[in-house]
Amino acid sequence: MRMEKGLARYIWRNTSRQQLWILAIVALSMIPYFLSFDLPKQIVNGPIQGQGFEDVDATRTFMELSPTLPLIGEVHLFSGFELDRLQTLLALSFVFLGLVVLNGLFKFYINTYKGRLGERMLRRIRFDLIDRVLRFPPNQFKKVKSAEIATMIKDEVEPLGGFTGDAFVQPALLGGQAITALAFIIIQNFWLGMIAAGIVCVQAIIIPRMRRRLLELGRQRQLTARQLSGRVSEIVDGIHSIHAHDTSNLERADIAQRLGLIFNIRYDLYQWKFLVKFINNFLAQVTPFLFYVIGGYLALQGRLDIGQLVAVIAAYKDLPGPLKELIDWDQARQDVQVKYAQVVEQFDVEPLVPATVQTVMREPVERLAAPLVASHLLVTDDSGAPILNRVSLEIQPNETIAVLGQNGAGGEAIAEAFGRVVWPDSGKITIGGQDILEMPESVTGRRISFASSDAHFFHGTLRDNLFYGLKHAPLTETTYKGSEARAFKRNLLEAQRSGNPSFDLNSDWIDYDAAGATGPDDLLKVIRPVLDAVMISQDIFDLALRSKVDLAAHPAMSEVIVDVRAALQRRLAEEDLEGTVVPFQPDSYNDQATVGENLLFGTMKQSMLTPATLAAHPYFKQIMRETGLSNELYAMGLEIAETAVELFRDLPPDNPFFQQLTFMSAEDIPAYQELLQSLKGTTAEDVSSKDRINIIRLSFAYIEPRHRFGLLTPDLRDKIVKARQSFYADLPEDLATMIERHDPAKFSESASLIDNVLFGRIAYSEADASDRIKRIARDIFADMDLEHNVLSIGLDFDVGTQGRRLTNVQRQKLNLARALLKRSDYFIFNRPLPALDQRAQDQIVTNVMRDLHRDGYRPAIIWVLPTADVAQLFDRVLVFKGGNLVENGCYDEVFDKNGMFKQLVS
Amino acid sequence: MLLKEEVEMLRRVPLFSKIAPAKLKLLAFASERLNCREGQNLFRQGDPGDAAYVVLSGTADVLVNSNGDEVKVADVEQNSIVGEIAILCDVSRTATVRATSRLEVLKISKENFLGLMNDFPDMAVEIMRVLADRLNHTTSELTAARVREQRATT
């Protein structure tokens, strides 16, 4: 389906009914509007100047209703009231007030209606555009920049929404108003009316001509801005290449040039805009000048009564407004039309994937039992060179195939064609006689799994990304209650009105059946073998250990933490490792923790409290002063500073020794050197609080066994423990909510899982202690049947933009795992793990080949392998060379052939 | 043990004997002090080598894995250095070092170690001397082994 080229037609097609309705309302609103024009004249001529009230007692009939209907003649409905001059004045004035209110209400309704219409239109067009992106052919994505598409959808179509409401109403309303005002002027005085009409014609001819240039500039502004956002995203995405090649200044030059161009276009635009405005205003002001001169002259001659002249001038007040707005509307129309055409040009892509291919499918999809057949498959690269040269082959539904050959020999191309990443130039891939490009994605996306090295991750948790491949359709009906239900219903209706689908994002989209699970509870158990097979469980486990745990999502952890800690102590005792972890104890100093940690004896809740704010807190300061710790830690900090300066003074800042200097950076050394100079001979009391904090800060980070300056006397340790106790004795409410005190029976949400398990610090001087403890922790979790909980905590990890917080190796493993989770009938793996070393790759291939064919489930596997090491595991070997299938047969057959395969093996 | 004592200890290591005390203090500060209990591996054959170790006290065996059997090839004594081959040649550990009594070592990271050699040519010469000594030892053992082998075949 092509996109509508004309904006007006697009709007009309989607909103014709609403447009007609609002037009009717506008027409209706014209009646009070016109009446309110005539009224001032009646008031001035009637009760004020006395027309019809020549006698003192004269009265007039008010509100007589006797309309003259065709065929029937005059119908007498209401005879009205008889009112005298003053009463008539009041009555007419109130009618005037009533009309003002009525006009206002009409305006209010019309504007709200238009606003809603516009917002729906904007929603519709944005959705349409994204819908088209989802259906672009793969080739299109080689040409477009993602940021440009985003800019188009986000910014460029936005004025369309505002315009939609005005598209038909505005010209009708304003045109009506202008014509009414003009007609009224003409009725009052033909020649004055003609003058006004003449000026209007001049405006209507000159202004749009001048605006043509504006439109062209507007188009350029749009294009350059779009290209700018494309370039910005290129810089962000390519930042490492920019640093690697020292080309940041080339980028600066490019951006500066673009910004210069944009500046020129925009400045030009301003100049034109204000020139047009000036001429427009001038023409509008010229008309009253003519009225005063000519109308005044006629009135002096007595050919025009004053009431008429006042009415003409009053009516003219209402003419330039609508007229100006009408001209603005016309500009907006052209502007939006240009924008729309620009956007359509980018999105009107052929051939688009038919919408039926992506229809949502809530039911399970049947197995693919027919063989996968490629016939005369021709795939060319962008220069037209064939990378797959009319290859035909057939793969049985339970066959395992190793695809071999050098890079670019054709193996990757056939896998990509099977995975629908490239579309063949000619030839077909069919299953059971149906072209896979025409099959619904609910079949190809569920029954065929494809994984390549190009692993894309969406911003979210590891869990979201791992289960991404199972979320095909909203499978459960979420029930809402009370106000939520009403809001849901409203939103659903609104979505339909804008042509958006009514899928509920809050529904559970995960297809548990497809993964072989029965529900959320045993999903982890089912995926565990997959995670093990791709060798990622260890990584997820480590991520979990380093993460903070959200107890609301993992309540089990707080229940078992006491047992886990006890088990750790037991295991440490068994393995003779008791000294390795020094536990936190409320009444003793922990040598392996910093002085600050010993003092605080707890963790600060992130985002609520920082060391700096704690140091500035009056209660904390008071404790430090009262216990005398402040002075002692100051003295200690001085010694640390002196030693550090002495040690590091002469080193260049990039010396690797600085890594060990945890409490200062290389840049701090000269600053501290100066500070020490200036502090010489002063006592702790006379030092400014800023310097004091800078010195005490050093002692807070000090760990005796690590830094080994010999500064912590037993006496000082006792003092710190005492200060800790008095700190907690009377802790004010605000601090208490921000600090989680170490509690052997409590799980701390502001400390990592491993810190929670250890409930202490690992001794610095123990060789590979940290690895051993991790291993022990893992054993304990396994023994206590908590492995799934821990894994689940690891799956909460936020992977960052494009999964960049994971390593490349982790991303590729997860990508493979994601494909394996679906129990498909055809698995296509296109060198999915190039970031791994060969040994690890072979191990994973072996694991997957072993695990996938379990419990009588035998899917087909087509694996493009980098080397022939593990080709024996497969039923059949295909060898590609120069885009052709050169060898095809079981391992022994092709091995004996003495051909290409033998070369690859050796 | 404190930094000052460590410096004293380092001075007794032949490798560092010509380095100024201030620099040794820095080295001590920048290096990790580790303890190994008896039977624990300081490092294992095949691990990536990221540091060298100076033995401050205790003893250890140097073991090489051959066809699944561990063969002891040398002893490690106090004040000697181990693990320097892996960081000099960028290879993984060529042997396992296992403590035979409580072992106290100073772990010097690869960057620190290479930096020191750059700053102190004396130390580089000393390292060469140690390596040459080991090569000499290895050559004589190899000669002996070859002779035994020849006798066994004839």
Side-chain angles (χ1 to χ4, degrees), chain A residues 564-574 578 581 583 758 780:
Chain A
V564 172
R565 285 172 185 166
L568 179 76
Q569 289 308 321
R570 263 201 313 279
R571 277 292 295 270
L572 290 176
E574 277 167 24
E578 278 144 318
V581 177
L758 289 176
I780 290 171

Side-chain angles (χ1 to χ4, degrees), chain A residues 576-577 580 643 646-648 651 656-657 659-661 663 704 707-710 764-768 772, chain B residues 1-3 6 22-23 25-31 33-37 40-41 102 111-112 116:
Chain A
D576 202 18
L577 285 169
T580 321
T643 316
E646 176 206 325
L647 283 174
F648 286 92
L651 287 190
F657 283 154
Q659 285 169 13
Q660 196 65 19
L661 189 67
F663 42 79
E704 180 92 353
H707 301 116
R708 314 189 290 274
F709 292 169
Y764 273 94
S765 56
E766 292 296 321
D768 62 312
R772 295 167 129 213
Chain B
M1 196 184 300
L2 298 176
L3 224 46
E6 263 166 39
K23 203 80 186 175
K25 194 169 176 186
L26 189 61
L27 178 66
F29 176 74
S31 309
R33 266 283 288 286
L34 296 177
N35 298 322
C36 256
R37 61 195 75 231
Q40 195 184 345
N41 292 335
R102 188 166 173 79
E111 296 93 50
N112 287 353
L116 271 181

Side-chain angles (χ1 to χ4, degrees), chain A residues 294-329:
Chain A
I294 301 171
Y297 175 73
L298 289 176
L300 286 180
Q301 298 253 310
R303 282 154 63 186
L304 187 69
D305 68 67
I306 309 230
Q308 250 181 336
L309 183 60
V310 171
V312 164
I313 291 175
Y316 182 72
K317 255 197 209 116
D318 292 306
L319 184 60
L323 210 58
K324 191 165 159 286
E325 281 183 53
L326 203 58
I327 292 170
D328 285 344
W329 171 84

Side-chain angles (χ1 to χ4, degrees), chain B residues 1 7 25 48 54 62 76 109 111 121 131:
Chain B
M1 196 184 300
V7 173
K25 194 169 176 186
V54 175
V62 180
V76 178
S109 72
E111 296 93 50
L131 290 177

Side-chain angles (χ1 to χ4, degrees), chain A residues 595-650:
Chain A
V595 170
E597 283 172 321
N598 267 292
L599 191 59
L600 184 64
F601 198 69
T603 41
M604 292 184 249
K605 284 190 187 158
Q606 225 179 11
S607 77
M608 291 176 79
L609 193 63
T610 60
T613 47
L614 179 65
H617 196 280
Y619 178 73
F620 184 76
K621 284 208 249 182
Q622 181 198 335
I623 293 286
M624 291 285 282
R625 218 175 24 247
E626 279 172 8
T627 52
L629 210 53
S630 190
N631 288 347
E632 296 224 23
L633 291 184
Y634 175 76
M636 183 172 161
L638 271 185
E639 272 196 66
I640 295 173
E642 272 162 16
T643 316
V645 167
E646 176 206 325
L647 283 174
F648 286 92
R649 182 166 49 199
D650 302 326

Side-chain angles (χ1 to χ4, degrees), chain A residues 22-174:
Chain A
I22 197 73
L23 275 175
I25 297 291
V26 167
L28 195 62
S29 75
M30 280 294 141
I31 299 169
Y33 185 71
F34 186 78
L35 287 178
S36 68
F37 267 135
D38 196 43
L39 213 49
K41 196 181 91 179
Q42 279 191 35
I43 295 174
V44 173
N45 289 352
I48 295 178
Q49 296 204 318
Q51 272 178 24
F53 293 98
E54 283 79 11
D55 300 332
V56 179
D57 297 329
T59 55
R60 265 175 64 178
T61 332
F62 180 68
M63 273 187 73
E64 184 191 352
L65 267 182
S66 25
T68 315
L69 297 179
L71 299 177
I72 305 169
E74 198 179 37
V75 184
H76 199 73
L77 290 175
F78 184 60
S79 53
F81 309 103
E82 289 295 321
L83 300 177
D84 65 19
R85 192 169 168 176
L86 186 63
Q87 284 169 330
T88 310
L89 175 68
L90 283 178
L92 286 176
S93 300
F94 274 103
V95 170
F96 182 78
L97 184 66
L99 287 176
V100 166
V101 171
L102 195 60
N103 279 332
L105 286 176
F106 263 117
K107 218 169 196 164
F108 176 71
Y109 176 79
I110 291 169
N111 281 336
T112 332
Y113 193 91
K114 282 196 307 192
R116 196 175 55 177
L117 196 61
E119 291 309 316
R120 281 192 189 142
M121 195 66 201
L122 181 60
R123 183 175 176 177
R124 176 188 296 272
I125 191 164
R126 280 184 170 160
F127 181 81
D128 277 357
L129 293 179
I130 295 170
D131 180 64
R132 291 186 90 84
V133 172
L134 289 170
R135 288 160 47 202
F136 274 174
N139 230 358
Q140 183 68 11
F141 292 99
K142 291 182 186 168
K143 298 178 207 152
V144 292
K145 286 184 195 158
S146 55
E148 293 188 0
I149 294 221
T151 312
M152 284 189 267
I153 293 173
K154 183 180 141 287
D155 298 329
E156 294 186 16
V157 299
E158 186 155 350
L160 263 65
F163 179 73
T164 303
D166 293 336
F168 300 99
V169 174
Q170 195 80 341
L173 177 73
L174 296 171

Side-chain angles (χ1 to χ4, degrees), chain A residues 166-399:
Chain A
D166 293 336
F168 300 99
V169 174
Q170 195 80 341
L173 177 73
L174 296 171
Q177 284 176 3
I179 290 172
T180 312
L182 200 58
F184 188 74
I185 297 170
I186 293 175
I187 292 169
Q188 300 306 318
N189 186 293
F190 181 75
W191 290 111
L192 288 183
M194 282 300 119
I195 291 171
I199 300 281
V200 168
C201 284
V202 173
Q203 270 176 302
I205 292 165
I206 291 184
I207 304 299
R209 270 171 196 255
M210 291 186 69
R211 281 189 166 154
R212 253 177 235 163
R213 170 92 184 126
L214 274 179
L215 289 173
E216 172 54 26
L217 287 172
R219 199 181 64 83
Q220 287 177 12
R221 179 179 63 180
Q222 183 184 356
L223 276 182
T224 47
R226 185 194 295 168
Q227 283 159 358
L228 177 72
S229 69
R231 281 294 297 145
V232 170
S233 83
E234 266 191 335
I235 289 177
V236 172
D237 291 341
I239 190 70
H240 300 304
S241 303
I242 292 171
H243 290 317
H245 300 296
D246 179 31
T247 49
S248 63
N249 289 314
L250 179 69
E251 298 302 335
R252 283 191 185 99
D254 180 76
I255 291 296
Q257 200 214 346
R258 277 170 200 280
L259 291 175
L261 186 66
I262 292 175
F263 168 82
N264 286 337
I265 293 171
R266 293 183 72 103
Y267 181 55
D268 212 358
L269 204 61
Y270 273 111
Q271 283 177 317
W272 271 92
K273 210 155 119 185
F274 287 111
L275 182 65
V276 172
K277 212 168 191 170
F278 167 73
I279 292 175
N280 210 2
N281 285 340
F282 176 72
L283 287 176
Q285 300 296 327
V286 160
T287 324
F289 159 77
L290 294 173
F291 283 169
Y292 291 132
V293 173
I294 301 171
Y297 175 73
L298 289 176
L300 286 180
Q301 298 253 310
R303 282 154 63 186
L304 187 69
D305 68 67
I306 309 230
Q308 250 181 336
L309 183 60
V310 171
V312 164
I313 291 175
Y316 182 72
K317 255 197 209 116
D318 292 306
L319 184 60
L323 210 58
K324 191 165 159 286
E325 281 183 53
L326 203 58
I327 292 170
D328 285 344
W329 171 84
D330 187 56
Q331 195 203 350
R333 181 185 66 82
Q334 296 189 41
D335 193 39
V336 171
Q337 170 62 41
V338 168
K339 283 207 162 93
Y340 178 77
Q342 291 280 314
V343 172
V344 165
E345 206 179 281
Q346 295 297 315
F347 283 82
D348 203 15
V349 175
E350 288 289 316
L352 217 55
V353 175
T356 46
V357 166
Q358 295 180 346
T359 318
V360 70
M361 178 79 177
R362 289 182 167 83
E363 291 75 38
V365 176
E366 261 185 60
R367 289 207 50 181
L368 292 173
L372 181 67
V373 181
S375 39
H376 308 289
L377 217 53
L378 175 73
V379 175
T380 57
D381 63 14
D382 280 354
S383 69
I387 44 175
L388 203 59
N389 207 352
R390 299 186 193 286
V391 171
S392 297
L393 59 96
E394 185 172 323
I395 291 155
Q396 297 305 317
N398 52 11
E399 214 179 358

